[in-house]
Amino acid sequence: MNIVILSRNAGLYSTDRLVEEAENRGHKVEVIDPLKCDIIIEKEKPTIYYKDRYLDYVDAVIPRIGASVTFYGCAVVRQFEMMGVFTTVTSDSILRSRDKLKSLQRLSKRGIGMPKTVFTNYSRDVEEVIDHVGGAPVIIKLLEGTQGLGVVLAETKNAAESVLEAFNGLQARVIVQEFIKEAKGADLRALVVDGQVVGAMKRQGKEGEFRSNLHRGGSAKIIKLSEAELRLAMNASRALKLPVCGVDMLQSERGPLLLEVNSTPGLEGIEKATGKNIAKSIITYLERNSNA
């Protein structure tokens, strides 16, 4: 197969591992920066031009679209779809997962447990918003935040009111969530490929840090998920139509609670924590589903 990995940086661990595993299985692989692609829209002949050639020979695409380039990156993925090229995740699915509010609404309707969440249109009654999620402490998240950025723990009611008023003054869209104390600064990441969990780790925030993101100094170890946790991860993947994704959840007294679903999950942390070849699982998923 001729495989294209849409990534802005060929040197990233995840991109490099996907290239390595694809080549190990005899495929031809290119890493292409989606921002350097020209989308050519023509009647019955959608094409993509990259540097000095048309990408009309591609059999499958693995999108590694960063949040900052979601709009154009998804436009490139969509163009490949119009050309009949198989992609591990569709442009619509990426867009759906990047909209935290829309994805939480969709997941809630599917009966998936999650921390109580409130979204409001710059409400002046911030005290009422805080009360809706059970009072302080609360988690306040920017709708556009990634890797723990734009996430604030407000430990007191006064602190929560101050943060909300500041965000409202900046007209920054936020959601307010209940704080799950019993999680103790840890969360679970399940890596789903073809609708099945192929690896899972428990991430623990460094001392004094409520965010468990590895980018922020957290640690990770392999974990065996419970039946309820496995079910949540697979249901979330299906609900957002993301056959390849990372599902983040918290362990709580009322069972697993979903935090978010990542359409471009990093492979470094989970491969090192679990010792599992996740990149190979993604390539074999391509082989099973591509028409090439």
Side-chain angles (χ1 to χ4, degrees):
M1 278 197 296
N2 292 309
I3 299 173
V4 160
I5 300 174
L6 292 173
S7 173
R8 300 212 64 208
N9 186 349
L12 293 175
Y13 177 94
S14 300
T15 303
D16 186 59
R17 284 286 296 118
L18 289 165
V19 170
E20 179 183 17
E21 288 303 324
E23 289 180 342
N24 284 345
R25 297 181 67 81
H27 303 299
K28 294 180 180 178
V29 193
E30 289 181 89
V31 178
I32 287 177
D33 183 346
L35 297 192
K36 295 181 179 177
C37 292
D38 294 330
I39 296 170
I40 301 173
I41 301 169
E42 186 179 356
K43 183 181 178 181
E44 297 181 354
K45 193 182 177 183
T47 52
I48 297 174
Y49 191 76
Y50 176 74
K51 292 187 176 178
D52 58 351
R53 63 193 185 279
Y54 293 99
L55 301 180
D56 54 4
Y57 53 86
V58 179
D59 299 309
V61 170
I62 304 175
R64 302 288 306 173
I65 305 297
S68 63
V69 297
T70 296
F71 178 80
Y72 197 79
C74 284
V76 173
V77 176
R78 190 180 305 113
Q79 189 76 347
F80 274 115
E81 293 165 9
M82 297 300 103
M83 294 161 60
V85 177
F86 179 78
T87 175
T88 52
V89 288
T90 66
S91 55
D92 284 346
S93 295
I94 296 170
L95 289 169
R96 193 179 298 119
S97 70
R98 292 281 161 85
D99 187 328
K100 288 183 183 177
L101 179 61
K102 185 183 290 185
S103 62
L104 287 175
Q105 289 174 310
R106 191 183 188 97
L107 291 161
S108 173
K109 186 178 179 181
R110 294 289 288 267
I112 294 171
M114 60 188 66
K116 192 169 183 180
T117 303
V118 173
F119 176 71
T120 184
N121 189 39
Y122 309 128
S123 171
R124 294 184 180 277
D125 194 352
V126 294
E127 184 176 349
E128 187 176 82
V129 172
I130 296 162
D131 288 341
H132 279 317
V133 296
V138 297
I139 301 294
I140 301 170
K141 295 180 179 180
L142 282 173
L143 285 180
E144 303 85 20
T146 60
Q147 297 180 352
L149 297 173
V151 181
V152 177
L153 168 62
E155 299 194 43
T156 67
K157 195 170 189 177
N158 285 342
E161 289 176 357
S162 296
V163 172
L164 279 173
E165 286 168 357
F167 279 137
N168 285 348
L170 295 170
Q171 292 198 327
R173 297 284 188 185
V174 298
I175 55 176
V176 181
Q177 289 186 322
E178 68 173 311
F179 177 63
I180 308 300
K181 184 179 180 181
E182 61 266 30
K184 298 178 181 178
D187 72 8
L188 308 180
R189 159 66 65 91
L191 210 299
V192 178
V193 178
D194 202 7
Q196 300 296 314
V197 175
V198 295
M201 62 179 173
K202 184 171 186 175
R203 303 183 297 188
Q204 179 68 55
K206 64 182 180 181
E207 189 173 351
E209 174 61 74
F210 74 96
R211 292 165 294 187
S212 60
N213 305 74
L214 301 184
H215 293 87
R216 309 197 68 81
S219 59
K221 64 179 181 181
I222 189 171
I223 188 172
K224 183 177 180 180
L225 299 181
S226 68
E227 286 297 321
E229 290 158 355
L230 285 168
R231 192 162 52 249
L232 183 150
M234 292 186 288
N235 286 344
S237 167
R238 284 194 291 269
L240 296 184
K241 298 181 180 179
L242 283 168
V244 178
C245 61
V247 180
D248 297 340
M249 61 191 115
L250 295 175
Q251 293 176 310
S252 80
E253 293 172 351
R254 61 182 190 267
L257 302 176
L258 184 132
L259 284 176
E260 65 178 339
V261 183
N262 191 323
S263 58
T264 312
L267 303 183
E268 183 172 12
I270 198 156
E271 283 199 338
K272 290 182 177 179
T274 64
K276 294 186 176 181
N277 193 336
I278 307 295
K280 182 180 177 181
S281 297
I282 294 172
I283 300 304
T284 56
Y285 166 64
L286 270 187
E287 293 170 346
R288 288 193 301 270
N289 290 275
S290 173
N291 294 323

